Amino acid sequence: MGQTNEFAHRMASKTIKLVDSSGYPVGRKEVELKQTNHKFLFGSGIFDAVQVANKSVSADRLPFLEQKLVKFLDVFNFATLPFYWGTFEPEKGKPKTKELKAAAQWLKERNVAVKGHPLCWHTVTAPWLLDMSNEEILKAQFARIEREVSDFKGLIDMWDVINEVVIMPIFDKYDNGVTRISKDLGRVGIIKEMFAKTREFNPGATLLLNDFNTSINYEILIDGCLNAGIPIDAIGIQSHQHQGYWGREKLEEVLDRFSHFGLPIHFTENTLTSGHLMPTEIEDLNDYQIPEWPSTPEFEERQANEVEEMYSILFKHPQVEAITSWSLSDDGAWLGAPAGFIRKDNSPKPAYEVLKKLIKGDWYTNVTCKTDDNGMVSFEGFLGEYDLVCGDKKVSFILDKDAESVRLVI
Amino acid sequence: MGQTNEFAHRMASKTIKLVDSSGYPVGRKEVELKQTNHKFLFGSGIFDAVQVANKSVSADRLPFLEQKLVKFLDVFNFATLPFYWGTFEPEKGKPKTKELKAAAQWLKERNVAVKGHPLCWHTVTAPWLLDMSNEEILKAQFARIEREVSDFKGLIDMWDVINEVVIMPIFDKYDNGVTRISKDLGRVGIIKEMFAKTREFNPGATLLLNDFNTSINYEILIDGCLNAGIPIDAIGIQSHQHQGYWGREKLEEVLDRFSHFGLPIHFTENTLTSGHLMPTEIEDLNDYQIPEWPSTPEFEERQANEVEEMYSILFKHPQVEAITSWSLSDDGAWLGAPAGFIRKDNSPKPAYEVLKKLIKGDWYTNVTCKTDDNGMVSFEGFLGEYDLVCGDKKVSFILDKDAESVRLVI
């Protein structure tokens, strides 16, 4: 357990008064305080949960995917599920609500928090929007937000509301309905509308703005949104590093620039590969298409080192509240990149072991101590969920920054 | 007179009923309709007006500066006066209010509209701000705005409220008070505060945001400001083209991107030189310091062609309401560049003649016509101020888009 000052913001002290069901102190007993979950969100994109939860995959592939999810559950407590309009509702009026609900439910039952990604984006948006007037597209976009946010309330209470707005109105790779309406509304205008609509149907949800653009453009956009009163709960930063790890200096510089808004920061889409680097002259990562992008032992070591440094920097930063790796596995990874923590055969790479050691070891609290005559015991630990085990009895509690002392009945 | 459709937005038709002092129609008389001023603002920086109005220059230089101003008045109807805090109030509490008032008055008497530049900027700001806390700097900045805007109300009703905000909080060439407070307030925040304060002390003034950055950064900043309810009256665009004329394509692209906000656009600081081009590798124009930057006949022809094309494109664009050339003369021009319409000896370059022909010829209305039996006469002309001359009598009127007909007493 790394109880150093650099993690003070991730920890709390608590004094527990342990009593039995009659209210008598449980004195002079050995108790184990075992962390069972992090408050911090360690996530990954886990689109396979849709197929596993719905068993909508061939019988020989299902066990493989189930095994992949075991690897996910061993380390992570946070999942991003796909709500791309174009794949969620490829045919107008036939959304995959049932399939996504099953996946969200499957994850929730396993104590995994779920984020929906994204409600509004110009890429992979519904192709049938192109047949509509701009007024109709906006109405359809509102109706889609109302439907998904209402249908999933309680299962999904965190949304990437709108994605990549810096480029949205000038996106020119192909015509699409969302770029069309973003031109009408302007960047801040479309963000304002989409946040208002999402908030309307889930007032308590955590709502993110998300972008791969980490330049001054995104800073000014956020600045404008906040001054326009848009209720952004967290700033989403993508960090697909197929062309090489940003490194400490850039990472800290980005954190510095985006933390001055005083909002929580989520690293929403992180990629560090265990393969050769994509050439830097590629501007749109989607343009890099190669038949084979192997994971190699040498690059797996590099990936493990980068993962260790990057996660440590982010976990140390008081405003970062979530890190999502975009690909858990090389199997099915975006661009065919060896971007996973596990290989195509589900075997863990060094990065997986390194991350597991941090999340479930160095940054996890498991202590044994003894209650005093009055049943009191004090401890300090990483924020999250805990079991207190005493003999054959167990009681669960949450360690947060709110209360210094608590009475537990065992 | 260029009464073609491309200038329809700059023109109006008017029917005048001319009557004598007893109210009888002045029928079947020849009248001259002579434009005396443009509605459109054709301007230049004319800092020499301070010295001329105050006669605060050596006796041998004064006639030279007066002659320069004659050249200005022959063509232009709009002047930018310097309100750089560091030169306006180099010693705290001793502002050059009297000197600037004399200059503004001098210009106003000559029917020249005046803009103050700028109320808030990180460059040439008051050095004594550095001794203050950020709270004190902000108070001083507010007090400075209150003082200048109040003192000059009626003389100066147009202000570049805040200058170059895109770079303001990350400006790192030297420490300064304005960058310090912009870091606290954020970009949109400092714009909001400065506009509110300026508006408070001159509610009817025309207030500009001004920047040399014409990238997506400035677009997003404006978008944020407008969504935050900041009352920007006109978008100021700098266009110092020491490194070469933008050309039609870039100019139209910039107009296209900044006109979709629906606001008037002012080209606030235009430069086209009649010398060699500054190398493009120079990033901050201020870094280019050379002993001599001559104006040559060859480059004077180029400048004249560029001026003709650029002014024509801007005058044709319905949202552009002002063009200010930063330097009237090579004498005293920024960076020592041959950026003027006149040379160091006050002799006009071809660009001066070209521009005069456009402003006072092609885009100016002078017609002679005859009233009918009822004293009626109709005409179409460029928007602005007019004299109607009939025999030895004269009456002035304004041609605008508001009223189709007017009754004039002569």
Side-chain angles (χ1 to χ4, degrees):
Chain A
M1 197 173 78
Q3 293 193 10
T4 60
N5 279 338
E6 63 188 10
F7 294 126
H9 56 287
R10 301 278 171 221
M11 306 185 83
S13 299
K14 208 165 204 96
T15 300
I16 296 164
K17 184 177 173 76
L18 196 65
V19 298
D20 63 23
S21 55
S22 310
Y24 288 106
V26 180
R28 279 167 297 166
K29 292 278 183 197
E30 197 174 85
V31 295
E32 269 185 280
L33 295 158
K34 299 167 67 168
Q35 188 166 4
T36 57
N37 199 5
H38 273 284
K39 181 183 185 194
F40 192 96
L41 299 173
F42 292 103
S44 90
I46 197 72
F47 301 0
D48 297 318
V50 182
Q51 295 179 308
V52 169
N54 292 281
K55 302 197 191 308
S56 57
V57 68
S58 63
D60 55 331
R61 185 158 162 86
L62 186 60
F64 167 79
L65 291 184
E66 285 171 338
Q67 204 43 49
K68 194 196 276 194
L69 292 190
V70 169
K71 288 283 194 301
F72 169 78
L73 294 168
D74 267 359
V75 176
F76 299 95
N77 64 350
F78 181 43
T80 297
L81 284 182
F83 281 81
Y84 306 105
W85 201 354
T87 51
F88 183 78
E89 191 183 5
E91 192 179 338
K92 191 164 184 284
K94 296 189 177 169
K96 299 197 190 300
T97 309
K98 190 177 71 64
E99 291 82 346
L100 268 290
K101 268 197 177 173
Q105 185 66 42
W106 190 97
L107 289 160
K108 191 184 179 184
E109 283 163 6
R110 285 153 183 84
N111 207 23
V112 174
V114 182
K115 185 179 70 171
H117 168 85
L119 289 169
C120 180
W121 189 30
H122 51 275
T123 303
V124 203
T125 195
W128 39 266
L129 295 175
L130 290 169
D131 303 327
M132 297 178 164
S133 71
N134 284 14
E135 203 182 333
E136 289 167 338
I137 294 171
L138 182 60
K139 264 173 86 173
Q141 175 70 67
F142 281 154
R144 175 261 207 301
I145 289 179
E146 174 176 347
R147 183 185 59 197
E148 269 69 279
V149 173
S150 304
D151 285 348
F152 286 84
K153 195 175 165 190
L155 275 179
I156 299 183
D157 295 317
M158 185 182 288
W159 291 98
D160 287 332
V161 175
I162 184 163
N163 202 29
E164 303 179 0
V165 180
V166 170
I167 205 176
M168 186 175 278
I170 53 171
F171 179 82
D172 59 3
K173 289 219 157 188
Y174 45 82
D175 187 16
N176 71 86
V178 173
T179 288
R180 288 187 194 169
I181 58 170
S182 75
K183 284 182 184 175
D184 285 355
L185 295 167
R187 291 180 179 85
V188 179
I190 194 168
I191 296 169
K192 187 187 266 179
E193 296 287 354
M194 298 309 138
F195 269 76
K197 191 55 71 179
T198 309
R199 182 68 78 208
E200 184 182 345
F201 293 99
N202 191 343
T206 301
L207 306 187
L208 285 93
L209 184 67
N210 192 44
D211 215 302
F212 67 85
N213 188 315
T214 58
S215 79
I216 192 175
N217 287 314
Y218 191 33
E219 274 183 87
I220 298 176
L221 182 63
I222 294 166
D223 190 16
C225 286
L226 296 178
N227 275 280
I230 300 173
I232 297 170
D233 294 311
I235 295 169
I237 292 176
Q238 299 179 22
S239 48
H240 295 292
Q241 296 160 83
H242 297 77
Q243 295 174 317
Y245 173 44
W246 286 358
R248 177 179 293 276
E249 195 179 350
K250 171 167 176 184
L251 189 55
E252 290 181 339
E253 183 257 339
V254 168
L255 285 167
D256 192 45
R257 286 191 291 112
F258 288 92
S259 61
H260 82 269
F261 296 108
L263 286 175
I265 294 172
H266 289 203
F267 273 66
T268 51
E269 304 182 22
N270 192 56
T271 300
L272 288 164
T273 76
S274 62
H276 67 264
L277 299 182
M278 185 191 292
T280 51
E281 63 265 23
I282 304 284
E283 280 192 25
D284 183 334
L285 303 187
N286 289 295
D287 292 339
Y288 190 65
Q289 305 280 355
I290 50 171
E292 190 79 23
W293 195 341
S295 185
T296 70
E298 176 197 351
F299 294 141
E300 286 183 359
E301 282 310 314
R302 185 199 66 208
Q303 180 196 37
N305 292 334
E306 293 168 352
V307 162
E308 184 169 25
E309 180 173 288
M310 183 167 177
Y311 274 72
S312 298
I313 291 168
L314 295 180
F315 194 63
K316 277 175 199 163
H317 194 284
Q319 280 170 252
V320 178
E321 296 189 353
I323 314 167
T324 292
S325 283
W326 201 234
S327 309
L328 173 73
S329 167
D330 292 355
D331 174 63
W334 180 44
L335 305 172
F341 291 116
I342 59 178
R343 303 185 191 93
K344 285 188 173 170
D345 62 359
N346 282 343
S347 62
K349 299 181 192 173
Y352 182 88
E353 304 297 355
V354 158
L355 191 59
K356 184 173 178 178
K357 181 175 176 297
L358 292 175
I359 295 175
K360 291 295 177 76
D362 298 357
W363 302 336
Y364 226 47
T365 303
N366 279 299
V367 289
T368 303
C369 34
K370 210 164 184 172
T371 58
D372 69 8
D373 289 354
N374 299 313
M376 307 288 278
V377 62
S378 294
F379 85 113
E380 187 184 25
F382 283 95
L383 304 175
E385 299 167 24
Y386 281 80
D387 282 345
L388 181 153
V389 182
C390 182
D392 58 353
K393 291 181 174 172
K394 189 172 85 171
V395 58
S396 299
F397 68 98
I398 288 171
L399 180 66
D400 53 32
K401 292 273 191 191
D402 292 344
E404 267 288 297
S405 59
V406 67
R407 186 171 173 275
L408 294 179
V409 181
I410 199 160
Chain B
M1 197 175 79
Q3 293 194 11
T4 61
N5 279 337
E6 63 188 10
F7 292 127
H9 55 288
R10 301 276 173 224
M11 305 185 83
S13 298
K14 209 165 203 94
T15 299
I16 297 165
K17 183 179 174 75
L18 195 66
V19 297
D20 63 22
S21 55
S22 309
Y24 289 105
V26 180
R28 279 167 294 166
K29 292 278 184 196
E30 196 174 84
V31 295
E32 271 185 280
L33 295 158
K34 299 168 66 169
Q35 189 166 4
T36 57
N37 199 4
H38 273 284
K39 180 182 186 198
F40 192 95
L41 299 173
F42 292 102
S44 90
I46 197 72
F47 302 180
D48 296 317
V50 181
Q51 295 178 308
V52 169
N54 292 280
K55 302 198 190 306
S56 57
V57 68
S58 63
D60 55 330
R61 186 160 162 85
L62 186 60
F64 167 79
L65 292 184
E66 285 171 341
Q67 203 44 50
K68 195 197 276 193
L69 291 191
V70 169
K71 288 284 194 300
F72 169 79
L73 294 169
D74 267 358
V75 176
F76 299 95
N77 63 350
F78 181 43
T80 297
L81 284 182
F83 281 80
Y84 306 106
W85 201 353
T87 51
F88 183 79
E89 191 183 7
E91 193 179 337
K92 190 166 184 285
K94 296 188 178 169
K96 299 199 190 298
T97 309
K98 191 177 69 64
E99 291 83 347
L100 268 291
K101 268 197 177 173
Q105 186 66 42
W106 190 96
L107 289 160
K108 191 185 180 183
E109 284 163 7
R110 285 153 183 83
N111 207 20
V112 174
V114 182
K115 186 179 70 171
H117 168 86
L119 290 168
C120 180
W121 189 31
H122 51 275
T123 302
V124 204
T125 193
W128 39 266
L129 295 174
L130 289 169
D131 303 328
M132 297 177 163
S133 71
N134 284 15
E135 203 182 333
E136 289 166 339
I137 294 171
L138 183 60
K139 264 172 88 172
Q141 174 70 66
F142 281 153
R144 175 263 208 295
I145 289 179
E146 174 176 348
R147 182 184 60 197
E148 270 69 279
V149 173
S150 304
D151 285 349
F152 287 84
K153 195 175 165 191
L155 275 179
I156 298 183
D157 295 318
M158 186 182 287
W159 291 98
D160 287 332
V161 175
I162 185 165
N163 201 28
E164 303 180 0
V165 181
V166 170
I167 205 176
M168 186 175 278
I170 53 171
F171 179 81
D172 59 2
K173 290 218 157 187
Y174 45 81
D175 187 15
N176 71 86
V178 173
T179 288
R180 288 188 195 169
I181 58 170
S182 75
K183 284 182 185 175
D184 286 355
L185 295 167
R187 291 180 179 86
V188 179
I190 195 167
I191 296 170
K192 187 187 266 179
E193 296 287 352
M194 298 308 139
F195 268 75
K197 191 54 72 178
T198 309
R199 182 67 77 208
E200 183 182 347
F201 293 99
N202 191 343
T206 301
L207 305 187
L208 284 93
L209 184 68
N210 192 43
D211 215 301
F212 68 87
N213 188 315
T214 57
S215 79
I216 192 176
N217 286 315
Y218 191 33
E219 275 182 87
I220 297 176
L221 181 64
I222 295 166
D223 190 17
C225 287
L226 296 179
N227 274 280
I230 301 173
I232 296 169
D233 294 311
I235 295 168
I237 292 175
Q238 298 180 23
S239 47
H240 295 292
Q241 297 159 82
H242 298 77
Q243 295 175 317
Y245 173 44
W246 287 358
R248 176 179 293 275
E249 196 180 350
K250 172 168 175 183
L251 189 55
E252 290 181 338
E253 184 256 338
V254 167
L255 285 167
D256 192 46
R257 287 192 291 112
F258 288 92
S259 61
H260 81 268
F261 295 109
L263 286 175
I265 295 172
H266 289 204
F267 273 66
T268 52
E269 303 182 23
N270 192 55
T271 300
L272 289 164
T273 77
S274 62
H276 67 264
L277 299 181
M278 185 191 292
T280 51
E281 63 266 24
I282 306 284
E283 281 192 24
D284 183 333
L285 303 187
N286 289 294
D287 292 340
Y288 190 64
Q289 305 279 355
I290 50 171
E292 190 80 24
W293 196 341
S295 185
T296 69
E298 177 196 351
F299 293 142
E300 287 183 359
E301 283 310 314
R302 186 200 65 208
Q303 180 197 36
N305 292 334
E306 292 168 352
V307 162
E308 184 168 24
E309 180 173 288
M310 183 169 177
Y311 274 72
S312 298
I313 291 168
L314 295 180
F315 195 63
K316 277 174 200 165
H317 194 284
Q319 280 170 253
V320 178
E321 295 190 353
I323 314 166
T324 292
S325 283
W326 201 234
S327 309
L328 172 74
S329 167
D330 292 354
D331 174 63
W334 180 44
L335 305 172
F341 291 116
I342 59 178
R343 303 185 191 93
K344 285 188 173 171
D345 62 359
N346 283 343
S347 63
K349 299 182 193 173
Y352 182 89
E353 304 296 356
V354 158
L355 191 59
K356 185 173 177 178
K357 180 175 176 296
L358 291 175
I359 295 175
K360 291 294 177 75
D362 298 356
W363 302 335
Y364 226 45
T365 303
N366 279 299
V367 289
T368 302
C369 34
K370 210 165 185 171
T371 59
D372 69 8
D373 290 353
N374 300 313
M376 308 288 278
V377 63
S378 294
F379 86 113
E380 187 184 25
F382 284 96
L383 304 175
E385 299 167 25
Y386 281 80
D387 282 345
L388 181 153
V389 181
C390 181
D392 58 354
K393 292 181 173 172
K394 189 173 85 173
V395 59
S396 299
F397 68 98
I398 288 171
L399 180 66
D400 53 30
K401 291 273 192 191
D402 293 344
E404 268 287 300
S405 60
V406 68
R407 186 171 174 276
L408 294 179
V409 181
I410 200 159

